[in-house]
PDB file of all heavy atoms in Angstrom:
ATOM      1  N   ALA A 188     131.459  76.796  87.134  1.00 98.00           N
ATOM      2  CA  ALA A 188     131.757  78.131  87.624  1.00 98.00           C
ATOM      3  C   ALA A 188     132.027  78.147  89.111  1.00 98.00           C
ATOM      4  O   ALA A 188     132.923  78.869  89.598  1.00 98.00           O
ATOM      5  CB  ALA A 188     130.649  79.108  87.236  1.00 98.00           C
ATOM      6  N   VAL A 189     131.272  77.360  89.900  1.00 98.00           N
ATOM      7  CA  VAL A 189     131.368  77.442  91.354  1.00 98.00           C
ATOM      8  C   VAL A 189     132.597  76.703  91.927  1.00 98.00           C
ATOM      9  O   VAL A 189     132.879  76.862  93.127  1.00 98.00           O
ATOM     10  CB  VAL A 189     130.115  76.909  92.087  1.00 98.00           C
ATOM     11  CG1 VAL A 189     128.866  77.676  91.649  1.00 98.00           C
ATOM     12  CG2 VAL A 189     129.899  75.434  91.828  1.00 98.00           C
ATOM     13  N   ILE A 190     133.349  76.008  91.102  1.00 98.00           N
ATOM     14  CA  ILE A 190     134.507  75.277  91.636  1.00 98.00           C
ATOM     15  C   ILE A 190     135.803  76.009  91.315  1.00 98.00           C
ATOM     16  O   ILE A 190     136.879  75.377  91.532  1.00 98.00           O
ATOM     17  CB  ILE A 190     134.521  73.822  91.150  1.00 98.00           C
ATOM     18  CG1 ILE A 190     134.674  73.752  89.630  1.00 98.00           C
ATOM     19  CG2 ILE A 190     133.294  73.093  91.674  1.00 98.00           C
ATOM     20  CD1 ILE A 190     134.977  72.325  89.157  1.00 98.00           C
ATOM     21  N   HIS A 191     135.767  77.209  90.796  1.00 97.00           N
ATOM     22  CA  HIS A 191     137.003  77.937  90.595  1.00 97.00           C
ATOM     23  C   HIS A 191     136.736  79.442  90.818  1.00 97.00           C
ATOM     24  O   HIS A 191     135.617  79.914  90.808  1.00 97.00           O
ATOM     25  CB  HIS A 191     137.634  77.679  89.258  1.00 97.00           C
ATOM     26  CG  HIS A 191     136.878  78.216  88.068  1.00 97.00           C
ATOM     27  ND1 HIS A 191     136.944  79.536  87.662  1.00 97.00           N
ATOM     28  CD2 HIS A 191     136.006  77.645  87.237  1.00 97.00           C
ATOM     29  CE1 HIS A 191     136.206  79.692  86.614  1.00 97.00           C
ATOM     30  NE2 HIS A 191     135.601  78.606  86.337  1.00 97.00           N
ATOM     31  N   ALA A 192     137.811  80.170  91.003  1.00 96.00           N
ATOM     32  CA  ALA A 192     137.749  81.591  91.357  1.00 96.00           C
ATOM     33  C   ALA A 192     137.231  82.443  90.183  1.00 96.00           C
ATOM     34  O   ALA A 192     137.329  82.047  89.018  1.00 96.00           O
ATOM     35  CB  ALA A 192     139.095  82.081  91.821  1.00 96.00           C
ATOM     36  N   GLN A 193     136.719  83.617  90.533  1.00 95.00           N
ATOM     37  CA  GLN A 193     136.372  84.624  89.574  1.00 95.00           C
ATOM     38  C   GLN A 193     137.186  85.922  89.795  1.00 95.00           C
ATOM     39  O   GLN A 193     137.203  86.831  88.958  1.00 95.00           O
ATOM     40  CB  GLN A 193     134.903  84.977  89.575  1.00 95.00           C
ATOM     41  CG  GLN A 193     134.487  85.604  90.931  1.00 95.00           C
ATOM     42  CD  GLN A 193     133.053  86.012  90.954  1.00 95.00           C
ATOM     43  OE1 GLN A 193     132.318  85.916  89.976  1.00 95.00           O
ATOM     44  NE2 GLN A 193     132.592  86.489  92.109  1.00 95.00           N
ATOM     45  N   SER A 194     137.874  85.964  90.938  1.00 92.00           N
ATOM     46  CA  SER A 194     138.764  87.093  91.245  1.00 92.00           C
ATOM     47  C   SER A 194     139.818  86.598  92.226  1.00 92.00           C
ATOM     48  O   SER A 194     139.934  85.381  92.474  1.00 92.00           O
ATOM     49  CB  SER A 194     137.936  88.216  91.932  1.00 92.00           C
ATOM     50  OG  SER A 194     137.621  87.880  93.259  1.00 92.00           O
ATOM     51  N   LYS A 195     140.656  87.453  92.713  1.00 91.00           N
ATOM     52  CA  LYS A 195     141.747  87.023  93.597  1.00 91.00           C
ATOM     53  C   LYS A 195     141.237  86.262  94.830  1.00 91.00           C
ATOM     54  O   LYS A 195     141.795  85.310  95.252  1.00 91.00           O
ATOM     55  CB  LYS A 195     142.524  88.199  94.097  1.00 91.00           C
ATOM     56  CG  LYS A 195     143.507  88.781  93.060  1.00 91.00           C
ATOM     57  CD  LYS A 195     144.620  87.780  92.700  1.00 91.00           C
ATOM     58  CE  LYS A 195     145.592  88.389  91.702  1.00 91.00           C
ATOM     59  NZ  LYS A 195     146.554  87.391  91.211  1.00 91.00           N
ATOM     60  N   PHE A 196     140.037  86.691  95.332  1.00 95.00           N
ATOM     61  CA  PHE A 196     139.574  86.130  96.565  1.00 95.00           C
ATOM     62  C   PHE A 196     138.123  85.664  96.555  1.00 95.00           C
ATOM     63  O   PHE A 196     137.548  85.314  97.611  1.00 95.00           O
ATOM     64  CB  PHE A 196     139.805  87.049  97.744  1.00 95.00           C
ATOM     65  CG  PHE A 196     141.224  87.117  98.226  1.00 95.00           C
ATOM     66  CD1 PHE A 196     142.079  88.096  97.762  1.00 95.00           C
ATOM     67  CD2 PHE A 196     141.729  86.160  99.063  1.00 95.00           C
ATOM     68  CE1 PHE A 196     143.423  88.158  98.171  1.00 95.00           C
ATOM     69  CE2 PHE A 196     143.051  86.186  99.489  1.00 95.00           C
ATOM     70  CZ  PHE A 196     143.891  87.184  99.034  1.00 95.00           C
ATOM     71  N   SER A 197     137.478  85.613  95.367  1.00 96.00           N
ATOM     72  CA  SER A 197     136.079  85.209  95.354  1.00 96.00           C
ATOM     73  C   SER A 197     135.818  84.169  94.266  1.00 96.00           C
ATOM     74  O   SER A 197     136.571  84.077  93.304  1.00 96.00           O
ATOM     75  CB  SER A 197     135.148  86.445  95.129  1.00 96.00           C
ATOM     76  OG  SER A 197     135.240  86.863  93.793  1.00 96.00           O
TER      77      SER A 197
END
Side-chain angles (χ1 to χ4, degrees):
V189 300
I190 63 170
H191 69 82
Q193 64 175 357
S194 74
K195 284 294 183 189
F196 283 97
S197 74

